[in-house]
Amino acid sequence: MNARNGVWTMLAALCMASAPAAAQGPVGQITGRVVDAQSGRGVTGARVAVQGTTLAAAAGVDGRYTLRSVPAGPHAITVSMLGYGAKTVTGVNVTAGAAATADVSLSAAAIGIGPISVSATRERGSVGAALDAQRTATGVVNSVTAEQIAKSPDVNAAQAVQRVSGVTVQDGKYVVVRGLGERYTTTSLNGARLPSPETDRKVVPLDLFPASLLQTVATSKTFTPDQTGDFSGAQVDIRTREYPSRRVVTVTTSGGFNDAATGRSLVGAPTAGGEWLGLAGTSRALPQAVRDGGDFRNVPQVVNNRAVRSFRDSWTPRGSTGAPNGTFGLTVGGSDPIFGHTLGYVFSGSYNRSQEVRRNEHRALAVGEPTQALNVFDGETGRVGVLWGGVANLSTQIGGGTRIAFNNVYNRSADNEAHQDHDGSLYGYDFPVRRSWLSYVERSVRSNQLRGEHALGGRQAFSWQLTSSGVTRSEPDRTDLLYVSDAQGRYALETFTGSGVRRSFSDLGERSLSEGADYKLDLGPSGSRTQLKVGGLFRQTRRDVDLRTFGIQAFGLTEQQAMMGPEQLFGGALAADDSAHFYVNDSSAGGRYAARDHVGAGYAMLDHPFGERVRVVAGARVESWNLDIAARRVNAPSDTTYTYRSTDVLPSLAVNVKLRDTQNLRFSVSQTLSRPEYRELVPFLQTNPVGDVDFFGNASLKRALIRNFDTRWESYPRSGEVITVGVFAKQFIRPIEQIQVASTGGSILSFVNTDRAVNYGVELEARRDLDFLAERLSSFSAFANATLMKSEIQVGNDSISALTNSKRPMVGQSPYVVNAGLSYGSASGATSATLLYNVVGRRIVSTGVKPVPDTYQQARNVLDLSLQQRVGRGMTAKLNARNLLDAPYRETAGSVTRLEYRTGRIYSIGLTWTPSGQ
């Protein structure tokens, strides 16, 4: 009886306990961040309370807070912190099952000033400026946000970042900032350095990162000691999507076409299966019979024949019909309590397939005086590309002072390309020739990162990160063919030199492990604190590259046999074991190398305010670099080792003056460095198609030093608006520069340390809502940025290369870059449109050797358009049009056009669906 009464009593107590919750009705959340209005830094420990309730929370790491079980409806929240003036924000509307965002800025407490009360609308404006990375950053920073990316036709990070002032993108993937060349730009993912998957470039190709996976792309143009020392032009930091405060599912899909490719006859590349996932490399791997041949010196004839037969029976381009483009993406994110802790998560994946083309492609070399065209070809390139990737990010807050995040990214791409030239001319041949090649390239990027942030009271913070990253690049089984005509116009495969038939295989793998930690200590009164920041980094990188090229020669063929197609020639009876026609040569081009790179760094910097308006950030970074390379040329008996060591002190000073609440003036001076890339140091030959320029490394390269100077005035009239004027200058000591070197077989590309160089320019930027012109334009906004630059380099090294111009602009330096855009957004938010324009001034892409002039890439105007329309609950349609002007890409050397082609206009229409309808 007592037990039964006990059960009833327990049930009654549970009902009573649940009664308030039932009476409470629908509930939601309020999330946000409390920041210092002057510095933009998070205010850890601030108390956030909902007026009229007992609900309250303390701001945790970086000022973040969450208020749960808040009744639906309008509320006022009060934020207070010792040393700051209290603030009440009214009009915070909470929707059932959703989360309202309320970011709050606090100002230092002033005697005689009571608590401040503002509306949520007004606070969003002030906090938007306070949180703006550009406004509160130590140096010069420009960011592209997920919101801006969503309103553009950009499909990857490379297209998104080119909207930033002074940024250009080469080959649709490589970022150049302030015209300095790609070697001066570093790339990080969620704050950790990314290796490059390219064999001969330091820069990371940003087309590997789908736009749908991005939260922000921030470009930092000035150095502070907490950044890596080899950042000299810019650091591009890609931040992947962060978890939302409520559960969200988003599905995106689109389809489109290229008016120069889709549905039209194209040159195409044969497939092996798996290209649609970028997983076709295995079937193209170097055959075992070729491996068994070694260097093919003095091997039996049967070894040559078996090697020839073992090559994949895919030699020539084929006709195809251009396919449509398509994308698909899925994102799931949210925040849920697990084991007493709130776990934030975002899982996002995307897939993109594109058909690309180079129509009316013209190629030539320039020689002689006056300049004349040599090795002239006209043809076409067709390429099918796929890009897919995913993000899996987890984050949890433990108590009010610890935040742990686990970020994971994997992206993979594949490009299957075919090129066919029509009748062309080639030096050394009396009759027309034809070239073709097949190339399949797979690339991947992986990053796994564990991060921790710990607030140690209200004045100390400690953060750490452990990052493992890796990249791969594989170009298996590239085929290069040369056909030669006779006097009767009949074409035969050129098989007597070993250069007319080539199969190449290259593989790159790089792994990097980095550990970093930072400690911050705030000194002085709240609202006017001095911050001491110290930290260290250790990064170890391992890169392994193998590049081999094989040529095939034929002897004793009849006239009819020589005119057979390669599929018949190399796959039939002529390559049988008892035949004696074919010989394989392991070309002198290529080889393999292994690089072991270790960087250790430590830094200290002090961020000190002088009064309310002046902020000085000073410090230095010490970096120690150890690089060991073991390289072996083809046919070499053993490895040759190269060792590089340097330790550098890199000081930095920045002065930021707050002229008004909405205006800043910045000054900075620093010293950074530029190290040679691994492939630039390895002295073996890398060949290009017959008739093009080859590449050779230089083991004597040294690291270069760069002195940087920046000044910028900034004005932020309203939230989301900015006007800036900046001046920059850089002085280079022994910069590394690409040049052409004359050789007995023609010119080849290489790298040298030049004597010195300077680079300077002006940056202008404006982003404004147009209602200041007329009220009826309140739905429109415009932006424009322009960078005017000039550089001069004194090359020296006369004994190495007889350059046409010993004083000239640096390779890759554009005299100007202009971006502009016009946006429309309806009052309801249902309709938006964005028109974007970009032009880059002509720049040197290859230096000339006397008497040939330098080769310039000419200016090219680009116009893009994006339209969005809400078509139902949770459904948005998007129409994109890219490259509307279809201006030709053109490189010229004097009067000779070295390269020219058009890529076509690209149109797509897509749908984004959020099932919740939010």
Side-chain angles (χ1 to χ4, degrees):
M1 189 70 172
N2 290 337
R4 186 178 302 169
N5 288 339
V7 171
W8 283 111
T9 301
M10 185 180 297
L11 290 174
L14 289 173
C15 291
M16 293 175 65
S18 63
Q24 186 181 44
V27 296
Q29 298 181 11
I30 301 176
T31 65
R33 188 167 173 241
V34 182
V35 299
D36 184 295
Q38 183 177 4
S39 68
R41 294 198 292 259
V43 180
T44 301
R47 185 177 186 274
V48 186
V50 181
Q51 287 190 354
T53 73
T54 59
L55 297 172
V61 176
D62 206 24
R64 295 182 177 90
Y65 73 90
T66 299
L67 292 163
R68 304 185 185 281
S69 301
V70 181
H75 292 279
I77 61 172
T78 299
V79 184
S80 58
M81 177 67 183
L82 183 65
Y84 290 90
K87 179 179 284 189
T88 298
V89 180
T90 61
V92 180
N93 292 307
V94 177
T95 302
T101 300
D103 296 325
V104 183
S105 64
L106 297 182
S107 299
I111 299 175
I113 301 296
I116 300 174
S117 180
V118 298
S119 67
T121 302
R122 178 184 168 191
E123 185 66 2
R124 274 194 297 273
S126 63
V127 177
L131 292 178
D132 187 273
Q134 182 169 321
R135 177 179 179 270
T136 59
T138 301
V140 177
V141 176
N142 295 91
S143 297
V144 179
T145 66
E147 180 182 6
Q148 292 170 303
I149 294 172
K151 294 180 179 179
S152 74
D154 302 331
V155 298
N156 57 53
Q159 295 172 9
V161 76
Q162 69 181 346
R163 314 299 178 188
V164 171
S165 176
V167 172
T168 61
V169 177
Q170 298 177 4
D171 301 332
K173 61 185 74 172
Y174 305 114
V175 172
V176 173
V177 180
R178 291 175 170 174
L180 281 177
E182 59 198 36
R183 70 177 315 105
Y184 299 107
T185 300
T186 61
T187 304
S188 59
L189 182 65
N190 297 317
R193 180 73 165 271
L194 266 182
S196 172
E198 301 299 308
T199 55
D200 56 352
R201 299 175 186 259
K202 171 184 175 181
V203 68
V204 176
L206 296 190
D207 65 331
L208 276 172
F209 299 91
S212 60
L213 306 183
L214 307 178
Q215 185 69 28
T216 61
V217 182
T219 304
S220 177
K221 300 177 183 177
T222 55
F223 171 73
T224 52
D226 54 351
Q227 297 172 315
T228 56
D230 58 349
F231 142 56
S232 299
Q235 177 176 307
V236 178
D237 186 27
I238 301 170
R239 296 280 175 173
T240 54
R241 301 189 65 160
E242 296 181 355
Y243 68 89
S245 54
R246 59 182 176 84
R247 192 171 303 158
V248 173
V249 177
T250 302
V251 181
T252 61
T253 184
S254 70
F257 67 96
N258 182 325
D259 68 356
T262 307
R264 301 179 61 175
S265 296
L266 302 176
V267 59
T271 59
E275 286 89 353
W276 70 283
L277 281 176
L279 297 172
T282 303
S283 59
R284 290 174 159 89
L286 182 66
Q288 187 60 47
V290 181
R291 293 182 183 276
D292 293 342
D295 61 7
F296 288 93
R297 294 181 180 180
N298 303 317
V299 298
Q301 180 64 50
V302 67
V303 174
N304 285 279
N305 294 338
R306 290 174 181 175
V308 169
R309 294 201 310 269
S310 71
F311 286 119
R312 193 170 63 96
D313 193 24
S314 180
W315 298 85
T316 55
R318 65 184 184 183
S320 66
T321 301
N325 303 327
T327 64
F328 177 80
L330 174 64
T331 299
V332 179
S335 178
D336 294 303
I338 297 179
F339 302 119
H341 298 286
T342 299
L343 180 68
Y345 56 89
V346 60
F347 303 102
S348 186
S350 69
Y351 178 87
N352 173 271
R353 183 189 185 278
S354 61
Q355 176 76 68
E356 302 174 48
V357 67
R358 290 183 175 183
R359 288 283 189 186
N360 305 319
E361 189 170 10
H362 173 85
R363 293 171 179 265
L365 296 181
V367 296
E369 186 178 12
T371 307
Q372 299 176 357
L374 181 73
N375 299 347
V376 180
F377 292 92
D378 291 287
E380 178 183 299
T381 299
R383 180 190 298 126
V384 175
V386 298
L387 169 63
W388 59 271
V391 167
N393 292 347
L394 302 172
S395 177
T396 187
Q397 188 157 312
I398 302 173
T402 295
R403 182 173 179 264
I404 303 296
F406 185 39
N407 300 323
N408 303 275
V409 177
Y410 183 81
N411 292 325
R412 190 173 189 89
S413 73
D415 293 305
N416 199 17
E417 178 181 287
H419 175 86
Q420 180 67 65
D421 283 320
H422 311 307
D423 291 353
S425 63
L426 185 64
Y427 178 75
Y429 294 86
D430 297 329
F431 299 104
V433 298
R434 293 175 180 172
R435 294 186 310 183
S436 69
W437 63 75
L438 301 174
S439 173
Y440 175 78
V441 179
E442 290 180 356
R443 297 176 298 169
S444 72
V445 173
R446 169 194 60 81
S447 177
N448 308 102
Q449 181 187 74
L450 185 64
R451 297 174 59 93
E453 301 173 55
H454 309 274
L456 310 175
R459 291 179 174 267
Q460 299 180 72
F462 177 74
S463 61
W464 53 270
Q465 65 176 31
L466 177 64
T467 304
S468 171
S469 59
V471 295
T472 64
R473 185 188 187 276
S474 176
E475 187 177 8
D477 205 8
R478 176 188 171 99
T479 303
D480 291 274
L481 300 179
L482 180 68
Y483 300 82
V484 182
S485 172
D486 62 14
Q488 287 74 43
R490 299 174 300 179
Y491 279 89
L493 200 59
E494 201 276 69
T495 55
F496 48 90
T497 65
S499 297
V501 182
R502 295 192 305 206
R503 301 293 282 252
S504 303
F505 301 80
S506 68
D507 284 289
L508 177 153
E510 181 170 323
R511 300 182 301 278
S512 181
L513 182 66
S514 66
E515 308 91 23
D518 301 278
Y519 170 77
K520 301 176 185 177
L521 173 63
D522 288 340
L523 306 168
S526 299
S528 182
R529 290 181 173 177
T530 296
Q531 184 178 86
L532 173 65
K533 185 177 180 181
V534 297
L537 170 76
F538 181 76
R539 183 177 70 246
Q540 48 189 340
T541 302
R542 174 172 180 164
R543 169 176 284 202
D544 295 282
V545 174
D546 191 358
L547 171 62
R548 299 189 68 181
T549 299
F550 301 90
I552 300 178
Q553 294 177 275
F555 299 97
L557 297 178
T558 67
E559 188 176 86
Q560 291 298 110
Q561 289 172 336
M563 289 187 289
M564 295 171 62
E567 287 83 3
Q568 297 173 293
L569 195 62
F570 301 127
L574 292 174
D577 283 353
D578 58 354
S579 180
H581 290 292
F582 298 126
Y583 297 89
V584 179
N585 63 76
D586 194 349
S587 168
S588 59
R592 65 173 183 260
Y593 70 88
R596 305 295 181 261
D597 192 351
H598 296 80
V599 175
Y603 75 90
M605 55 187 291
L606 192 68
D607 185 343
H608 180 68
F610 288 88
E612 296 182 356
R613 298 196 175 274
V614 179
R615 179 181 169 198
V616 176
V617 182
R621 183 180 187 89
V622 179
E623 280 201 357
S624 175
W625 176 53
N626 297 319
L627 173 63
D628 297 290
I629 297 179
R632 180 181 298 189
R633 300 183 189 183
V634 171
N635 302 328
S638 61
D639 290 346
T640 301
T641 59
Y642 304 91
T643 301
Y644 304 88
R645 302 284 188 269
S646 68
T647 299
D648 295 278
V649 178
L650 307 172
S652 170
L653 173 66
V655 179
N656 297 327
V657 181
K658 186 176 181 181
L659 302 177
R660 299 179 181 176
D661 288 343
T662 58
Q663 292 185 22
N664 292 333
L665 185 61
R666 301 179 183 275
F667 305 91
S668 68
V669 58
S670 63
Q671 179 166 288
T672 54
L673 54 82
S674 173
R675 300 185 181 104
E677 177 51 34
Y678 309 136
R679 179 62 187 91
E680 296 168 0
L681 293 165
V682 178
F684 57 63
L685 185 68
Q686 182 172 322
T687 59
N688 285 311
V690 174
D692 285 353
V693 181
D694 296 331
F695 169 82
F696 195 85
N698 179 5
S700 299
L701 292 177
K702 304 285 193 301
R703 65 102 174 88
L705 293 176
I706 302 99
R707 294 165 184 163
N708 313 281
F709 309 89
D710 276 273
T711 299
R712 187 161 84 165
W713 171 82
E714 305 170 347
S715 176
Y716 301 87
R718 292 181 295 184
S719 178
E721 296 185 346
V722 62
I723 302 172
T724 69
V725 179
V727 177
F728 64 88
K730 295 179 182 292
Q731 182 182 44
F732 298 80
I733 302 171
R734 297 186 61 78
I736 300 169
E737 186 85 345
Q738 178 182 294
I739 64 170
Q740 286 198 54
V741 180
S743 68
T744 55
S747 296
I748 61 175
L749 294 176
S750 190
F751 288 84
V752 297
N753 284 106
T754 60
D755 287 346
R756 56 188 177 275
V758 293
N759 166 269
Y760 52 92
V762 177
E763 287 183 319
L764 310 171
E765 181 181 13
R767 185 183 297 274
R768 292 293 306 268
D769 295 332
L770 299 186
D771 55 357
F772 77 96
L773 297 175
E775 184 62 30
R776 63 178 178 273
L777 298 178
S778 60
S779 298
F780 291 87
S781 63
F783 85 89
N785 59 67
T787 304
L788 308 177
M789 301 162 286
K790 187 174 182 179
S791 68
E792 182 177 287
I793 188 166
Q794 297 186 25
V795 180
N797 288 294
D798 295 337
S799 61
I800 298 176
S801 176
L803 295 176
T804 303
N805 296 310
S806 59
K807 291 184 179 181
R808 54 166 173 77
M810 300 173 71
V811 171
Q813 169 73 72
S814 302
Y816 62 87
V817 178
V818 176
N819 293 296
L822 178 66
S823 297
Y824 166 80
S826 64
S828 64
T831 305
S832 66
T834 302
L835 184 67
L836 299 167
Y837 169 78
N838 168 262
V839 64
V840 179
R842 75 171 198 154
R843 62 184 184 87
I844 295 178
V845 292
S846 179
T847 57
V849 178
K850 291 179 181 178
V852 179
D854 299 326
T855 299
Y856 280 85
Q857 177 188 327
Q858 300 300 316
R860 182 169 181 263
N861 297 288
V862 179
L863 189 67
D864 300 330
L865 175 66
S866 181
L867 305 173
Q868 293 189 73
Q869 176 64 51
R870 189 183 303 152
V871 295
R873 182 173 175 80
M875 185 79 72
T876 301
K878 185 176 183 180
L879 173 66
N880 289 334
R882 291 177 48 219
N883 195 32
L884 285 170
L885 303 178
D886 195 20
Y889 177 96
R890 183 181 293 117
E891 295 179 7
T892 61
S895 60
V896 174
T897 298
R898 290 199 55 182
L899 177 62
E900 182 176 7
Y901 59 84
R902 293 179 185 268
T903 58
R905 301 170 180 86
I906 302 171
Y907 304 92
S908 68
I909 186 168
L911 292 175
T912 299
W913 178 48
T914 303
S916 62
Q918 300 297 320

